[in-house]
Amino acid sequence: MNNQNQPLNDVLNLLRDLSIQYFRTYNKPFKASGLKTAIQKRFIHFNERELGFNNFRDLLSYAASIDIISLSKDPNDYLISPIKLSTDGTDKADQ
């Protein structure tokens, strides 16, 4: 992607990194309700609308559609998992 999309690329990379880190630490998916706060800690002025999305869920759906994260739904929240982890917890992208 070009530099015009750099803020989006940075957020997508952070989504991927956070999902991997959380899964490795807790062995369970990250709840979307806590993920936006985690992103805002890194990017204080984060606003999904400035990246072209109507809401945070749309950003998550986009990230899932391009294989950055895996997105599922439980009764109370959306769940974010890393898409490129093998069963032993190693990142396939790093192999």
Side-chain angles (χ1 to χ4, degrees):
M1 292 187 188
N2 61 33
N3 286 341
Q4 182 179 359
N5 293 327
Q6 191 59 44
L8 177 57
N9 290 342
D10 291 344
V11 169
L12 293 174
N13 286 331
L14 183 59
L15 278 172
R16 179 180 176 273
D17 294 346
L18 287 171
S19 70
I20 290 169
Q21 183 179 49
Y22 191 88
F23 193 84
R24 283 182 177 160
T25 302
Y26 300 104
N27 200 31
K28 64 181 181 179
F30 203 134
K31 291 188 176 188
S33 59
L35 188 56
K36 186 170 182 176
T37 301
I39 292 171
Q40 289 171 325
K41 286 181 180 179
R42 173 71 197 274
F43 301 113
I44 295 171
H45 299 292
F46 169 75
N47 182 334
E48 64 275 4
R49 290 183 181 202
E50 290 179 9
L51 299 175
F53 300 95
N54 290 326
N55 53 52
F56 190 61
R57 188 190 63 212
D58 289 347
L59 171 61
L60 295 177
S61 294
Y62 174 72
S65 76
I66 59 170
D67 292 335
I68 299 292
I69 57 168
S70 175
L71 185 63
S72 59
K73 177 109 173 79
D74 79 0
N76 301 313
D77 208 343
Y78 283 89
L79 303 174
I80 292 86
S81 300
I83 202 156
K84 297 193 184 229
L85 280 186
S86 65
T87 55
D88 65 0
T90 58
D91 188 353
K92 291 180 182 178
D94 292 339
Q95 295 177 351

